[in-house]
Every structure is written in structure tokens, then in C-alpha cells.
Amino acid sequence: MSTHGKAPTSGRNRADRVDIFDTTLRDGEQSPGISLNTQEKVEIAQQLARLGVDVIEAGFPITSPGDFEAVSEIARNVEGPVICGLARTHKADIDAAWGAIKYSPRPRIHTFISTSDIHITHQLQTTRDDVKGQARAAVAQARSLCDDVEFSPMDATRADIEFTAEVCAIAVDEGATVVNIPDTVGYTTPQEYAGYFERLYELVPVLREVRLSVHCHDDLGLAVANSYAGVLAGARQVECAVNGIGERAGNCSLEEIVMLLRTRGDVHGLDTGVESRELARTSRMVSRFTGYAVQPNKAIVGRNAFAHESGIHQDGVLKERTTYEIMDATEVGLDSNQIVLGKHSGRHALRDALNDLGFRVDGAALNQAFQRFKEIADKKKQVTALDLEAIVSDEFRERAQGYNLAWFDVEASSRRAPHARVAITLPSGEESEGEATGDGPVDAIFVAIQKAANTDCELRQYTVSAVTEGEDALGEVTVMLRAADRLASGQGVSTDILEASARAYVRALSNALEGAAMREAESITAEAASERTPGP
Ligand code: KIV
Ligand code: ZN
């Protein structure tokens, strides 16, 4: 067993190099309650480029004007990885995907249609022949626009393999460069999935000339194991998402498959081009922007992934780290909190520190970040890299349009009900006030915000965590709520938990109402609506 981890990434040839196709911004964004704005999506995509993923699936452009805009902004602004847009086999989908990704120097269209009879009969309500015709036409259309085209036979693992093979052969015949075999409902097992690839190669030998890909969901907790089995059977692209987020139980976790391939290179001789020291930071950013907390015992990036509780283990690690650690925390970036600023640090020091963290902040944004930094540095002795990440992410969430927190007052006592007064700015720019009593000070603030916004919300989840250790740590709050029939989350950061809570609540509300308004605008576009069938 290797305890040294990192296998060399440079000089790998195509045969022993596994491409990482990140779908955090597409399949990941399909998780309930996630509502990323364009700026947040671009920030995540830039971080994914720093992480060194090969492909970023930036979104599903036909689904909404917001998705189209985000994908085209990523295509224009993110350099390095291939930028991919998802499309059903419909002509309008493929045109929209191309319209959004064409600004990238490395565009890819990813088109899909189901090959399982269960989907063909009940969802598509069509025939196998029609599916073959749609796949052929879609790949041909995509190839007429773009040199790089990926095809996915959705629900492949529950489909008749002979029929799926026929459809894959058609896709390759029309010029698909990548063929992806999705385990859409997380049903397969490692052995079965490996067998599926072996049989596909027998049925369609030409598949050896394109890149085969795995896309596994985690419904039975097997997404990483199945992806690994597919890779051992010959696939050289893994579709995965940061922190394993995605539809239902999620997708294969990016950080887990990357570190599995790296740490056990001795077994399979494969690796990826990922800069693993960026994994922890990418995980924190995605968790923050999506509101999906990372469980403490999550492999690779969980808070406890490198913590040793039992005396025997601590003793062993103190004597020799490899007694109980198969990877080094520095390898996944869990040690990177060295930057320290204080209240005397100036604007230049802040800008340099932010640059080191990969944030390019100038002009008005730098002034804003500096003002926020000063407020925090006044209350906290040391501002570390983790604090800066939290502050800057918090600033990104401030909306030009939408609802924002202006101020709040709260009185709390053990002898009478807490009372809060709150002012928020409305999307029109006007200020609106609300006041309320509640079960506790946080509840009073939340009810006062609802009154100020003149709307009803149902609180679904409220979590508080500390950004760093220590008594003066910044607090980070995540709120998930349902408003206007939409689930949305919001986050807030402050040295004061009540302020962080108020910010998080206003942002969640803003995301829910914005999402509802967008949905209404879309439903007015009757043509598009009649074309639309449920997404993957
Ligand atoms: O799970 C799935 O089948 C998908 C496809 C679009 C690849 O997400
Ligand atoms: Zn999927």
C-alpha cells in the first residue's frame, strides 16, 4: 500500500490520464435549494480552473435565461478547461448550448437522450427507432457547430445494452468525441458497471477510438466505487461534482475520486491533472455558495478527515504520521491558513493577500472589501486566509438588485419576548421596515424581515458554524427557506451571529423571490414552455 500519495501528474500520456469533468454547476446545481447567481457561478468556475479540472459543465442553457447568461459568462471569462453546455436532442437545446459556449476557446456540446425502455415508454413516450433518429440528428447538428461533442445515453445502466450500443455507435458515426455512460439513478454496482463497459467495447469496437466517460449517482452510496470500476474498465473521463452534490443523493464526489486515483496510483497506474492542494478551498467555496454543509467525517475535505481522536492513534501519528494517515493534509490544502493580517494592514496588503487566494479584487470591490476587512479587524485580533475567503464570498452575495439588509435592532431578555426592528432595501431601492417579537432573537429578526418584505416564508434549515477556531472566530450562518413556492438558501458571515443570521435570511429570501420571478417570466414564453420536458 502506498502511503506517500502523490503520483506524478506531468508527462502522463492519454492512456494513463483520467480527465476530470466537473458538473458542480449543472448536475450539482440541480440539488434542491441551490440558487447560485451568475457572479457566484463564474467565481466557482474560476476556482475549478485553478483546481485544474479538464472540463467544466457550466449549465443547461435552454432551461432559463439565467442559466444561458451564466454559461456564456463562464465561456467568456474562464480560461483553461473545456467549457461544456448540456442539451437534450432537441434542435433548440443544441442551438442554445452552442449560443452560450461558443465564446470559449474550448467549447463542448453535451447532448443526451434516454435509452432505457422505462424512460422511452413512460417519459419520452416514443419508440426505440425514434430515439436512434434523435441521437443521430442531434450529434450531427452539434458537430456541425462544434468540434467537441459528447453524447450520453441516459439511464444506460437500466437499458438494454444491445440497444444502447446501437445508439452509441450512431453517435460515434456522427462524430461524437466522448461517449458517456450514465448511471442516472445510482442503480448499478461496481462489478456490473465494469462488465457493462467490457460488453460495450465488444459490441462497438469503435468506442476504443473515442473517450469513454462515467457519470454515477450516489443513490446506493456507490458513485465513487462505480466510477472507479468504470475507469478500471477503460473509461478515461469521470463526471463528478465538488462535495458530491447533485440530483437526489448526488454525484460522484470530485475530491474522493481524485484522491483515490492519486493515492492508489500503485494499483492502477492512473492519475488526473488536478492540483490537489486546491481541493479544500474549492470544497469550502462550493459549500458556502450553495449552502450545502460538508459533513465533518466527509472523506478528504471533512473537518475530521485528518483528525485523530483516540489516544493510540494520536500517539502513533505523533511518532510517525503515516502510522494512521494514508494522505497528507497538506496535499489536499487543509493546512493553507498562513496568511495573517491585522487592523494595521493596508489596502495593498489586503489586495496582495486576496490575490494570493486567487481573488482578483480592484476598484470599488476592493474598497468595499477593505471597509469590511477593517470592521472585522477591529473586532478580531488576526484576520486569516480562511476569514478573508469568508469575507470576500460574503461580499459577492451582496446584490445590486434584490433585497439587502440595511440595519437591525434587537432586544433580548430572559424575562420578556425578544423584539426586533429591521430595515431592508427592496429591489426598487426603497427602504422598508418591519418589527416583530419572536421565540428568540433570531426568530424575532426573521419575522421582522418577513414583515419588511411583506411576504410569508417557511424556515427549513438554520445552521451556524465558526469559520476558524478561537473565541473571536467569524460566524457563518446558512438559512434554507421556502417562499413563493420556491426553496432557496442564503449565507451570511459576521463576527456577530445575529447579523450573520439576518444577512443569510435576507439573501435566501432574495434568491427565492428572484427564482419565482424568473420562473414566471419563463412560463410566459409559451413556445419554449411547450418544448420543455423535465431535465435529467
Ligand atoms: O444523470 C444523468 O443521466 C445525467 C445526464 C444528463 C448525463 O445527468
Ligand atoms: Zn446526472
Side-chain angles (χ1 to χ4, degrees):
M1 182 178 85
S2 163
T3 51
H4 304 296
K6 190 163 181 166
T9 52
S10 56
R12 293 208 157 263
N13 58 39
R14 296 300 279 166
D16 59 11
R17 163 74 190 258
V18 178
D19 281 354
I20 293 298
F21 174 114
D22 178 90
T23 187
T24 307
L25 296 173
R26 199 280 296 170
D27 214 316
E29 226 242 346
Q30 287 172 212
S31 318
I34 295 187
S35 37
L36 299 169
N37 63 36
T38 297
Q39 195 186 1
E40 288 165 340
K41 286 185 186 174
V42 173
E43 272 312 307
I44 290 177
Q46 266 154 354
Q47 177 57 25
L48 290 170
R50 276 194 289 276
L51 179 65
V53 305
D54 300 279
V55 186
I56 296 175
E57 187 165 52
F60 193 175
I62 190 81
T63 54
S64 72
D67 230 59
F68 185 94
E69 182 200 68
V71 177
S72 45
E73 281 304 298
I74 290 170
R76 282 179 217 267
N77 293 300
V78 178
E79 281 169 26
V82 168
I83 305 299
C84 177
L86 185 67
R88 289 167 302 179
T89 47
H90 301 184
K91 182 174 181 315
D93 281 41
I94 293 169
D95 285 337
W98 176 241
I101 58 166
K102 66 182 178 198
Y103 306 102
S104 165
R106 302 180 67 202
R108 178 185 293 177
I109 297 174
H110 176 191
T111 184
F112 70 95
I113 189 163
S114 295
T115 55
S116 70
D117 289 327
I118 196 164
H119 280 203
I120 296 174
T121 312
H122 299 293
Q123 187 177 18
L124 301 176
Q125 300 183 344
T126 187
T127 60
R128 285 187 175 192
D129 273 349
D130 181 50
V131 166
K132 286 200 267 185
Q134 287 199 44
R136 185 177 288 287
V139 176
Q141 185 200 347
R143 274 298 264 130
S144 73
L145 300 166
C146 183
D147 288 341
D148 190 2
V149 172
E150 173 168 336
F151 174 73
S152 291
M154 185 150 104
D155 204 21
T157 53
R158 291 194 302 165
D160 173 16
I161 191 160
E162 266 82 20
F163 175 63
T164 303
E166 270 186 73
V167 180
C168 292
I170 290 172
V172 177
D173 192 39
E174 291 299 334
T177 44
V178 180
V179 173
N180 175 47
I181 305 298
D183 181 31
T184 303
V185 290
Y187 182 67
T188 198
T189 65
Q191 227 177 354
E192 187 181 68
Y193 199 46
Y196 200 101
F197 278 85
E198 280 152 24
R199 183 76 184 120
L200 269 186
Y201 279 127
E202 277 167 21
L203 292 167
V204 193
V206 73
L207 282 177
R208 296 201 181 274
E209 286 161 34
V210 299
R211 191 149 270 248
L212 274 199
S213 165
V214 293
H215 179 110
C216 298
H217 281 270
D218 208 29
D219 300 64
L220 292 173
L222 288 174
V224 175
N226 287 338
S227 302
Y228 184 52
V231 167
L232 295 183
R236 286 293 176 271
Q237 174 179 284
V238 177
E239 303 200 354
C240 46
V242 176
N243 299 336
I245 59 172
E247 194 73 50
R248 305 180 311 280
N251 283 88
C252 169
S253 140
L254 181 149
E255 50 284 353
E256 291 177 24
I257 191 75
V258 163
M259 290 314 290
L260 165 59
L261 291 174
R262 184 145 307 164
T263 307
R264 297 311 313 272
D266 58 324
V267 178
H268 44 247
L270 300 167
D271 201 0
T272 69
V274 165
E275 171 45 85
S276 61
R277 282 184 298 264
E278 290 291 328
L279 284 171
R281 193 142 78 86
T282 314
S283 161
R284 286 195 296 270
M285 180 186 276
V286 169
S287 168
R288 238 175 219 135
F289 285 170
T290 57
Y292 270 55
V294 173
Q295 80 203 50
N297 60 330
K298 163 90 171 62
I300 317 296
V301 291
R303 199 173 54 236
N304 298 344
F306 292 86
H308 302 277
E309 186 66 21
S310 101
I312 295 177
H313 287 209
Q314 287 174 352
D315 174 59
V317 169
L318 286 173
K319 289 177 174 144
E320 164 56 38
R321 188 187 59 74
T322 55
T323 50
Y324 290 94
E325 284 187 1
I326 59 164
M327 294 165 280
D328 188 337
T330 59
E331 229 186 303
V332 301
L334 277 174
D335 61 330
S336 58
N337 199 19
Q338 280 114 356
I339 297 173
V340 178
L341 301 177
K343 65 178 178 185
H344 301 299
S345 305
R347 210 175 293 258
H348 285 303
L350 176 67
R351 196 187 47 204
D352 291 350
L354 291 175
N355 274 344
D356 285 352
L357 290 170
F359 295 111
R360 280 167 292 118
V361 185
D362 274 307
L366 179 62
N367 290 343
Q368 183 75 19
F370 187 64
Q371 194 183 331
R372 194 75 197 282
F373 159 74
K374 280 287 178 194
E375 280 163 25
I376 286 168
D378 269 345
K379 296 181 189 150
K380 223 177 161 294
K381 279 190 233 62
Q382 293 188 326
V383 179
T384 65
L386 290 181
D387 294 322
L388 287 179
E389 256 179 48
I391 298 167
V392 173
S393 310
D394 199 55
E395 283 305 317
F396 281 137
R397 299 187 192 110
E398 216 58 40
R399 298 281 178 97
Q401 293 125 9
Y403 297 79
N404 281 304
L405 178 71
W407 53 260
F408 73 94
D409 284 329
V410 64
E411 290 153 21
S413 156
S414 59
R415 291 183 301 166
R416 50 184 185 277
H419 178 257
R421 280 184 66 215
V422 168
I424 60 173
T425 48
L426 304 175
S428 61
E430 278 167 67
E431 207 168 277
S432 170
E433 289 185 25
E435 63 182 297
T437 50
D439 294 338
V442 173
D443 183 50
I445 291 173
F446 288 177
V447 179
I449 292 171
Q450 287 187 48
K451 290 196 172 155
N454 192 22
T455 187
D456 280 333
C457 324
E458 184 196 335
L459 183 66
R460 288 293 185 89
Q461 202 180 304
Y462 172 74
T463 45
V464 186
S465 57
V467 173
T468 52
E469 283 160 17
E471 280 176 12
D472 61 355
L474 284 177
E476 188 160 27
V477 171
T478 298
V479 161
M480 197 171 290
L481 53 74
R482 179 171 279 282
D485 219 16
R486 256 194 102 84
L487 199 58
S489 67
Q491 293 77 33
V493 173
S494 171
T495 46
D496 173 354
I497 290 300
L498 293 178
E499 183 179 334
S501 304
R503 283 175 183 268
Y505 195 86
V506 172
R507 285 171 186 156
L509 183 63
S510 216
N511 288 338
L513 298 181
E514 188 179 88
M518 268 169 64
R519 196 177 42 200
E520 196 164 315
E522 277 164 45
S523 71
I524 295 168
T525 320
E527 261 180 40
S530 66
E531 273 261 273
R532 203 162 279 140
T533 59

